[in-house]
Amino acid sequence: MSSIDLAALKERISTTPPSNQTDFYTIEAIKEAVGAAEAANFGVGAILVDDKTGNIVCRGRNTVFTENRSDLHAEMDLLNTFETLHGSKSRELLRHMTLYTSLESCPMCLCRIITAGVSRVFHVADDEDGGMVHLYRQLPETWQEISENRVFKKAECSEALSDIAMQVFLSTSDLNNRLSGF
């Protein structure tokens, strides 16, 4: 089991007040990540924000192990919920939304986000090993064309929040053994 203490991370979250609106949203994504980790899933969370109102309209968290579905990363969980609620209106609505995720989106999630039509995606912590945003220019040209004029980048949040988000994810790194069959 990981030596990272989730209770201590939750305390750090509660004592790190948001210094701006972005921090508020990143804290909310991290809270979803903590919920995922507490449920014995990978510690990744996401929220969807309406650009017009600033309201959080949907939340998601990694549920790969509790739902026994390999596709249920936080972003996928969030988009499944949103698209189920809004049906054929989803794509148009998502054009006016910003997605915040606690960890840089993997290739599968980034392509799903592009297909869904989300206009802006901000991640709290970089994922040099599994993230796709820093490798965006390596996507096939068609995917880059589809997502032209959209924003995919690290959130402008405090380094303390980036560190907390990474620590929440790392607290569940031992779950990789479940995927590799050990």
Side-chain angles (χ1 to χ4, degrees), residues 105-125:
S105 298
C106 73
M108 176 180 71
C109 290
L110 187 60
C111 288
R112 170 79 185 277
I113 290 165
I114 290 169
T115 303
V118 179
S119 63
R120 298 185 313 154
V121 180
F122 297 112
H123 61 272
V124 182

Side-chain angles (χ1 to χ4, degrees), residues 68-89:
N68 296 307
R69 293 262 315 266
S70 59
D71 64 326
L72 289 180
H73 293 194
E75 301 95 324
M76 302 288 257
D77 179 48
L78 179 147
L79 289 169
N80 288 347
T81 300
F82 187 84
E83 291 172 345
T84 297
L85 287 171
H86 298 285
S88 63
K89 297 177 187 175

Side-chain angles (χ1 to χ4, degrees), residues 119-157:
S119 63
R120 298 185 313 154
V121 180
F122 297 112
H123 61 272
V124 182
D126 293 325
D127 184 357
E128 290 297 318
D129 294 330
M132 190 67 205
V133 173
H134 72 278
L135 299 172
Y136 176 82
R137 291 290 168 212
Q138 292 183 16
L139 283 172
E141 189 175 321
T142 302
W143 285 101
Q144 291 180 47
E145 288 172 8
I146 292 169
S147 60
E148 193 173 55
N149 299 321
R150 297 197 219 166
V151 176
F152 307 99
K153 66 179 191 174
K154 186 168 184 181
E156 294 179 11
C157 63

Side-chain angles (χ1 to χ4, degrees), residues 16 20 22 38 83 103 121-123 136 156 160 163 167:
T16 305
N20 57 47
T22 300
E38 289 176 329
E83 291 172 345
L103 188 68
V121 180
F122 297 112
H123 61 272
Y136 176 82
E156 294 179 11
D163 180 62
Q167 292 301 309

